[in-house]
């Protein structure tokens, strides 16, 4: 029984340290890549709404999101998920919506515009 308690304590320590390290890693990525300065506030709000709530993202904001880059996009979404305000959201659902939004924007930006 005592070994179970030690195991539980080690598991809790590992999970806590892992979460703290993930937070530091995301913060470092965001800082090193100047992620917070690459999108305008209106587009940040559109992207946030399309990922964390229910909404769509305009073509203009898709361009800004793709310009932000996948590394910044992922780090910002993960850091937002670490915020206690969003503790009731399903991380798997949010990550899936984040990937879907990214892929939709990437396809939109990469697709050739129709000729006139």
């Amino acid at each position: 029984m005592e070994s179970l308690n030690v195991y539980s304590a080690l598991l809790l320590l590992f999970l806590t340290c892992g979460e703290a390290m993930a937070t530091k890693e995301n913060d470092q990525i965001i800082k090193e890549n100047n992620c917070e300065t690459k999108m305008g506030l209106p587009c940040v709000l559109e992207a946030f709404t399309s990922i964390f709530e229910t909404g769509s993202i305009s073509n203009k904001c898709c361009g800004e999101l793709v310009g932000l880059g996948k590394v910044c996009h992922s780090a910002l979404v993960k850091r937002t998920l670490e915020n206690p305000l969003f503790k009731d959201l399903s991380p798997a659902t949010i990550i899936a919506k984040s990937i879907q939004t990214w892929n939709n924007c990437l396809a939109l930006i990469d697709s050739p515009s129709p000729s006139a």
Side-chain angles (χ1 to χ4, degrees), residues 25-36 38 65-79 98 102:
E25 183 179 310
N26 289 326
D27 285 344
Q28 184 175 353
I29 290 168
I30 291 165
K31 184 176 180 180
E32 287 176 356
N33 292 286
N34 295 316
C35 298
E36 293 178 322
K38 292 184 176 181
L65 181 65
V66 171
L68 173 71
K70 189 167 179 91
V71 169
C72 282
H73 172 68
S74 295
L76 288 166
V77 169
K78 288 175 186 172
R79 186 176 72 181
S98 166
W102 174 263

Side-chain angles (χ1 to χ4, degrees), residues 62-96:
C62 269
E64 286 194 29
L65 181 65
V66 171
L68 173 71
K70 189 167 179 91
V71 169
C72 282
H73 172 68
S74 295
L76 288 166
V77 169
K78 288 175 186 172
R79 186 176 72 181
T80 303
L81 278 171
E82 293 165 357
N83 187 316
L85 291 173
F86 303 102
K87 70 179 187 309
D88 294 334
L89 297 178
S90 161
T93 300
I94 297 301
I95 297 295

Side-chain angles (χ1 to χ4, degrees), residues 7-112:
Y7 175 75
S8 297
L10 287 173
L11 181 60
L12 181 62
L13 180 64
F14 173 76
L15 291 174
T16 305
C17 289
E19 186 174 317
M21 288 181 71
T23 301
K24 284 184 180 179
E25 183 179 310
N26 289 326
D27 285 344
Q28 184 175 353
I29 290 168
I30 291 165
K31 184 176 180 180
E32 287 176 356
N33 292 286
N34 295 316
C35 298
E36 293 178 322
T37 63
K38 292 184 176 181
M39 283 181 77
L41 183 59
C43 288
V44 167
L45 294 174
E46 270 190 37
F48 178 88
T49 301
S50 75
I51 296 167
F52 288 88
E53 296 172 7
T54 303
S56 59
I57 184 168
S58 66
N59 293 0
K60 175 187 179 294
C61 291
C62 269
E64 286 194 29
L65 181 65
V66 171
L68 173 71
K70 189 167 179 91
V71 169
C72 282
H73 172 68
S74 295
L76 288 166
V77 169
K78 288 175 186 172
R79 186 176 72 181
T80 303
L81 278 171
E82 293 165 357
N83 187 316
L85 291 173
F86 303 102
K87 70 179 187 309
D88 294 334
L89 297 178
S90 161
T93 300
I94 297 301
I95 297 295
K97 286 177 76 175
S98 166
I99 292 168
Q100 180 182 18
T101 299
W102 174 263
N103 288 340
N104 290 346
C105 284
L106 194 60
L108 180 72
I109 300 306
D110 284 347
S111 67

